[in-house]
């Protein structure tokens, strides 16, 4: 002790000899000097600041940090006292083990919000911002494909819990062996009670256990979307019904284990349900569908039924109890007959129905369609797809029955003829008419005087109807003088002579014109179009009109003032036409497409750069005369424009 007190800092720390008499032991001690603080002067005793365990031949030191030897229970208690979301996120980044422990803690098990607030007031402002908005649930996350794993979902759960709260979660295409399973939903349920929207698409490893955990913890859930979830059954759906009374929207598609029991629980226990979509679920039948609508508290406004084995009974229930329905979609209901649709209309319960879409239902006939018209007095939008037993007579009777129809769309209704179309236009104040692949329309004169014009029609779309030609266009032009939007894509039979009367009769001025695939149109009709409607035209699509040349672009440059979208793909356009567009001072094109125009070459570089001052989209795909170097120069100079090449 006196020696230690009188130590002067020289080599007189100890007057004895070496601590180790064996030179091998001394070398062994010096070899660990990089790990411990060792004072080792010649022939002096070593002084160390770390404990050693000395043996005959080895020196060992315990290098494991003490926190790693704590049991999980202690770590969980420590984590519960970590208040800020940023701090929890930092803890989760330490290891997978810590991340798993954090996901096991429910949000309510952390310190009270009052204590958090007191601690935050003395900390930084950014932490206060994150913690004060924990319950908002405004964050949205989407995991797709290989990125959709349990580990990533756990990280999302911990990371969002203290940064506003997760409000919307979408998981899509998690089909790999490492994809999301029930554990991932366990983590979300514990850490994100603010979840309001959950979408699971093609997630084959998630079952009732995961969905039940979401139901137990996420009582604010409002929208649930299940698609191709083969392990989810009625049990999971019943758990949602029992624990999520705020559910407003439910969508189920291709879930083979969900049937009537689950839907009955939803109809009974979810009084706020407003939207239901059920598609391709073989176990869903009349009892499940009827329970959704017949509930005393039902306020359903949107219903979609597709590919189900329901019968006339379900449609009768819809017609009688669907007093709140505004949108109804019925598709592929093969077991529903004409009687079912007739009863649905005559039940007179669909007085609020605004939009009705029927696809591939053999029970829709002229008789049932007329009954629907009588029972849906406020119907404004009607869409019939592949309803092969509806004729022109049934369409006219339907138009007479409902006097409020504004939009009519017919696709592949091959028994509908010109007579039916003309009759509908004369009976209804239609605003929009769409015909797609209606093979029953023939280009023949009716031989009867046309009725009074339909001044309300502004949108006309006739696509891929090969029988619609010059005579039909002339009749439409006389009947519809107030057209502003026309789409005649795929009408190979129309010519300049047939289209000109339609253009001349459009008194209001055309705004959007789509003539894609009209192979027989020439520059002559384009010159007339720009001269008659250049002051109002905003969109012009000439894709595939192979007889359109630079002359049309010169006419566009001279006459069009407000044109913002021009598509001349696969037309006979050259550098001359591009130059004409670039010299038009009044043009402010935003979207321009020359796809497949082999006549456009490197010479158009300066013209395209000039046009690019206003462009946000430029399509140069399959322009074989433009080199890669020219494309690179355009990409560099037009950095604000999205260029396809």
């Amino acid at each position: 002790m006196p020696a230690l007190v009188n130590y002067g800092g020289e080599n007189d720390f100890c007057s004895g000899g070496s601590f180790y008499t064996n030179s091998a032991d001394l070398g062994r001690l010096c070899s660990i000097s990089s790990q411990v603080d060792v004072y080792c002067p010649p022939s002096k005793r070593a002084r160390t600041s770390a404990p050693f365990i000395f043996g005959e031949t080895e020196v060992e030191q315990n290098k494991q940090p003490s926190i790693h030897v704590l049991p999980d229970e202690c770590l969980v208690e420590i984590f519960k006292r970590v208040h800020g979301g940023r701090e929890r996120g930092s803890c989760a980044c330490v290891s997978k083990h810590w991340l798993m422990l954090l996901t096991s803690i429910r949000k309510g098990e952390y310190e009270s919000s009052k204590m958090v607030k007191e601690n935050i007031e003395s900390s930084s402002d950014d932490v206060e911002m994150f913690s004060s908005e924990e319950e908002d649930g405004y964050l949205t996350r989407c995991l797709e494909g290989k990125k959709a794993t349990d580990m990533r979902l756990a990280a999302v759960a911990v990371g969002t819990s203290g940064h506003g709260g997760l409000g919307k979660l979408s998981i899509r295409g998690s089909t790999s062996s490492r994809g999301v399973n029930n554990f991932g939903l366990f983590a979300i349920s514990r850490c994100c009670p603010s979840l309001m929207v959950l979408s699971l698409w093609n997630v084959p490893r998630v079952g009732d256990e995961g969905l039940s955990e979401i139901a137990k913890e996420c009582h604010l859930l409002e929208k649930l979307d299940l698609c191709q979830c083969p392990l989810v059954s009625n049990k999971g759906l019943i758990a949602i019904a029992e624990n999520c009374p705020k559910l407003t929207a439910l969508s189920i598609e291709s879930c083979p284990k969900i049937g009537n029991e689950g839907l009955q629980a939803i109809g009974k226990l979810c009084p706020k349900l407003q939207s239901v979509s059920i598609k391709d679920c073989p176990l869903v039948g009349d009892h499940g569908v009827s329970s959704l609508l017949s509930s005393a508290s039902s306020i359903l406004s949107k219903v979609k039924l597709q590919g189900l084995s329901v019968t006339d009974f379900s449609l009768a229930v819809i017609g009688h109890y669907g007093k709140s329905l505004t949108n109804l979609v019925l598709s592929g209901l093969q077991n529903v007959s004409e009687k079912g649709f007739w009863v649905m209309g005559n039940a007179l319960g669909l007085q609020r129905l605004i939009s009705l879409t029927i696809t591939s239902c053999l029970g829709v006939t002229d008789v049932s369609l007329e009954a629907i018209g009588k029972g849906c007095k406020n119907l404004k939008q009607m869409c019939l797809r592949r309803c092969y037993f509806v004729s022109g007579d049934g369409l006219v009777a339907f138009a007479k029955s409902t006097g409020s129809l504004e939009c009519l769309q017919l696709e592949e209704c091959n028994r509908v003829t010109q007579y039916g179309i003309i009759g509908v236009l004369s009976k209804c104040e239609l605003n929009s008419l769409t015909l797609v692949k209606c093979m029953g329309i023939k280009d023949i004169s009716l031989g009867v005087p046309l009725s009074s014009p339909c001044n309300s029609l502004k949108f006309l779309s006739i696509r891929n109807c090969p029988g619609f030609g010059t005579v039909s266009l002339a009749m439409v032009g006389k009947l519809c003088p107030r057209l502003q939007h026309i789409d005649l894509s795929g009408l190979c039979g129309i010519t300049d002579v047939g289209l000109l009367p339609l253009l001349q009769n459009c008194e209001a001025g055309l705004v959007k014109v789509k003539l894609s695939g009209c192979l027989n149109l020439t520059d002559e009709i384009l010159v007339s179009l720009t001269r008659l409607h250049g002051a109002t035209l905003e969109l012009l699509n000439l894709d595939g009109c192979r007889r359109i040349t630079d002359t049309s672009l010169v006419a566009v440059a001279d006459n069009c003032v407000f044109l913002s979208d021009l598509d001349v793909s696969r037309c006979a356009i050259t550098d001359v036409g591009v130059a004409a567009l670039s010299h038009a001072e009044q043009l402010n094109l935003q979207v321009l497409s020359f796809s497949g125009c082999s006549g456009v070459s490197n010479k158009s570089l300066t013209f395209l750069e000039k046009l690019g001052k206003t462009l946000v989209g430029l399509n140069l795909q399959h322009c074989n005369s433009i080199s890669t170097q020219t494309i690179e120069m355009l990409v560099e100079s037009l950095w604000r424009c999205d260029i396809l090449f």
Side-chain angles (χ1 to χ4, degrees):
M1 189 66 178
L4 179 62
V5 173
N6 296 324
Y7 173 64
E10 302 297 330
N11 291 336
D12 57 354
F13 184 84
C14 183
S15 59
S18 174
F19 187 78
Y20 286 110
T21 57
N22 189 341
S23 60
D25 292 338
L26 180 62
R28 204 176 283 118
L29 175 64
C30 295
S31 67
I32 62 171
S33 61
S34 62
Q35 300 173 355
V36 296
D37 184 17
V38 179
Y39 174 74
C40 189
S43 301
K44 299 292 183 179
R45 185 176 61 184
R47 180 178 63 184
T48 65
S49 60
F52 290 91
I53 300 176
F54 298 102
E56 292 182 357
T57 59
E58 63 181 21
V59 180
E60 296 180 355
Q61 181 183 10
N62 186 7
K63 297 183 290 183
Q64 185 179 16
S66 60
I67 195 170
H68 286 296
V69 300
L70 288 177
D72 291 348
E73 292 80 0
C74 294
L75 288 175
V76 168
E77 291 301 322
I78 294 174
F79 292 150
K80 286 181 180 180
R81 288 156 177 80
V82 178
H83 302 307
R86 180 176 295 179
E87 287 77 6
R88 293 176 206 156
S90 299
C91 293
C93 293
V94 172
S95 66
K96 291 183 179 180
H97 180 62
W98 281 26
L99 174 60
M100 295 300 103
L101 291 178
L102 283 165
T103 59
S104 68
I105 304 174
R106 291 178 172 83
K107 198 169 185 179
E109 294 176 352
Y110 289 101
E111 293 295 324
S112 65
S113 58
K114 181 177 180 180
M115 295 178 61
V116 173
K117 185 175 181 181
E118 292 175 355
N119 293 335
I120 290 172
E121 288 176 353
S122 59
S123 62
S124 59
D125 293 335
D126 55 343
V127 178
E128 181 177 1
M129 177 186 68
F130 291 134
S131 299
S132 61
E133 297 180 353
E134 283 186 342
E135 301 300 332
D136 289 343
Y138 66 88
L139 295 179
T140 299
R141 294 293 182 267
C142 181
L143 304 181
E144 297 186 13
K146 295 181 179 180
K147 294 182 179 180
T149 62
D150 283 338
M151 198 60 60
R152 191 178 294 266
L153 206 57
V156 168
V158 175
T160 60
S161 62
H163 293 73
L166 187 64
K168 298 180 181 179
L169 176 63
S170 177
I171 305 173
R172 301 188 177 189
S174 179
T175 57
S176 66
S177 58
R178 298 177 57 191
V180 173
N181 56 32
N182 293 324
F183 176 80
L185 292 190
F186 290 166
I188 291 295
S189 65
R190 294 188 184 100
C191 300
C192 307
S194 60
L195 188 67
M196 292 181 289
V197 179
L198 176 61
S199 178
L200 303 176
W201 285 18
N202 194 13
V203 188
R205 302 177 66 195
V206 170
D208 294 331
E209 294 81 3
L211 200 60
S212 298
E213 194 69 20
I214 289 289
K216 292 177 183 178
E217 303 292 342
C218 304
H219 302 297
L220 300 178
L221 192 68
E222 295 179 0
K223 297 181 180 180
L224 178 62
D225 185 2
L226 303 175
C227 178
Q228 298 181 19
C229 299
L231 297 183
V232 177
S233 68
N234 289 323
K235 181 180 178 181
L237 206 58
I238 292 173
I240 292 290
E242 292 175 344
N243 296 278
C244 302
K246 294 186 177 181
L247 192 69
T248 60
L250 175 64
S251 178
I252 306 172
E253 178 179 348
S254 301
C255 296
K257 291 187 177 182
I258 292 181
N260 295 329
E261 294 180 8
L263 294 182
Q264 287 172 343
I266 292 290
K268 181 180 179 180
L269 301 173
C270 298
K272 296 184 178 181
L273 193 65
Q274 298 177 13
S275 175
V276 170
S277 176
I278 308 172
K279 177 181 178 181
D280 297 332
C281 295
L283 297 183
V284 174
D286 290 328
H287 293 292
V289 173
S290 60
S291 63
L292 291 173
L293 288 138
S294 59
S295 174
S297 59
S298 177
I299 56 172
L300 274 175
S301 59
K302 297 181 180 179
V303 171
K304 178 179 179 180
L305 306 177
Q306 180 174 348
L308 305 180
S309 57
V310 297
T311 65
D312 297 342
F313 178 77
S314 291
L315 264 65
V317 172
I318 291 175
H320 185 75
Y321 291 102
K323 300 183 186 302
S324 301
L325 283 181
T326 58
N327 295 74
L328 178 60
V329 178
L330 305 173
S331 178
L333 306 182
Q334 302 300 324
N335 296 331
V336 179
S337 66
E338 179 185 69
K339 180 181 178 181
F341 285 98
W342 184 87
V343 172
M344 185 182 75
N346 283 321
L348 303 178
L350 300 176
Q351 297 298 318
R352 295 185 181 180
L353 193 64
I354 296 176
S355 175
L356 175 61
T357 300
I358 304 176
T359 303
S360 300
C361 293
L362 301 179
V364 180
T365 63
D366 292 347
V367 175
S368 59
L369 189 61
E370 183 178 3
I372 291 173
K374 292 179 179 179
C376 306
K377 291 297 183 181
N378 293 311
L379 191 64
K380 297 184 181 299
Q381 300 175 7
M382 181 67 169
C383 178
L384 298 175
R385 296 190 181 100
R386 294 185 291 279
C387 294
Y388 303 118
F389 297 110
V390 174
S391 68
D393 294 334
L395 209 58
V396 173
F398 170 76
K400 290 180 180 179
S401 302
T402 176
S404 58
L405 195 65
E406 296 179 357
C407 177
L408 178 61
Q409 181 174 345
L410 304 176
E411 297 185 19
E412 298 184 49
C413 296
N414 296 329
R415 296 187 63 188
V416 175
T417 62
Q418 283 177 325
Y419 170 78
I421 301 301
I422 300 301
V424 169
L425 290 175
S426 61
K427 301 297 181 182
C428 294
E429 294 293 323
L430 284 181
N431 179 265
S432 174
L433 175 62
T434 300
L435 304 175
V436 181
K437 296 181 181 180
C438 293
M439 304 302 177
I441 299 177
K442 306 298 180 182
D443 195 35
I444 56 176
S445 178
L446 294 179
V448 296
L450 297 177
S451 58
S452 58
C454 180
N455 292 315
S456 60
L457 193 69
K458 296 180 180 179
F459 301 85
L460 176 64
S461 178
I462 304 173
R463 306 193 302 271
N464 300 312
C465 298
F468 205 94
T470 301
V471 177
S472 304
L473 273 181
M475 287 191 295
V476 170
K478 292 179 180 179
L479 277 174
C480 310
R482 308 295 297 177
L483 286 175
Q484 295 181 356
H485 302 251
I486 61 172
D487 184 357
L488 305 178
S489 301
L491 301 188
C492 302
I494 63 173
T495 61
D496 295 350
V497 177
L499 184 57
L500 184 59
L502 176 64
L503 300 181
Q504 291 174 337
N505 288 325
C506 293
E507 302 171 356
L510 291 174
V511 177
K512 295 183 179 180
V513 176
K514 298 180 181 180
L515 302 172
S516 175
C518 297
L519 306 178
N520 294 320
L521 297 182
T522 67
D523 292 326
E524 183 178 352
I525 195 63
L526 261 296
V527 172
S528 299
L529 172 62
T530 56
R531 177 175 50 83
L532 292 170
H533 304 284
T536 58
L537 197 61
E538 297 178 3
L539 181 147
L540 179 59
N541 189 330
L542 303 171
D543 183 10
C545 298
R546 56 193 180 191
R547 300 180 66 181
I548 298 298
T549 67
D550 296 331
T551 303
S552 295
L553 291 192
V554 173
V556 168
D558 292 339
N559 299 305
C560 294
V561 179
F562 299 107
L563 190 67
S564 61
D565 191 328
L566 176 62
D567 189 345
V568 287
S569 302
R570 298 182 296 161
C571 295
I573 302 299
T574 67
D575 298 325
V576 177
V578 182
L581 287 178
S582 67
H583 293 138
E585 298 181 356
Q586 81 282 2
L587 270 182
N588 289 293
L589 287 172
Q590 296 183 358
V591 180
L592 179 61
S593 178
F594 292 114
S595 177
C597 296
S598 57
V600 179
S601 67
N602 296 331
K603 297 179 181 179
S604 294
L605 175 61
T606 56
F607 308 136
L608 291 173
E609 288 178 338
K610 187 175 181 180
L611 287 168
K613 294 179 180 179
T614 59
L615 287 177
V616 296
L618 176 62
N619 189 352
L620 298 176
Q621 291 180 315
H622 310 297
C623 293
N624 300 326
S625 299
I626 299 180
S627 65
T628 303
Q629 183 179 2
T630 300
I631 294 293
E632 292 176 352
M633 296 174 65
L634 281 173
V635 171
E636 183 177 355
S637 59
L638 306 181
W639 56 273
R640 294 181 179 178
C641 179
D642 185 12
I643 302 178
L644 298 178
F645 54 90

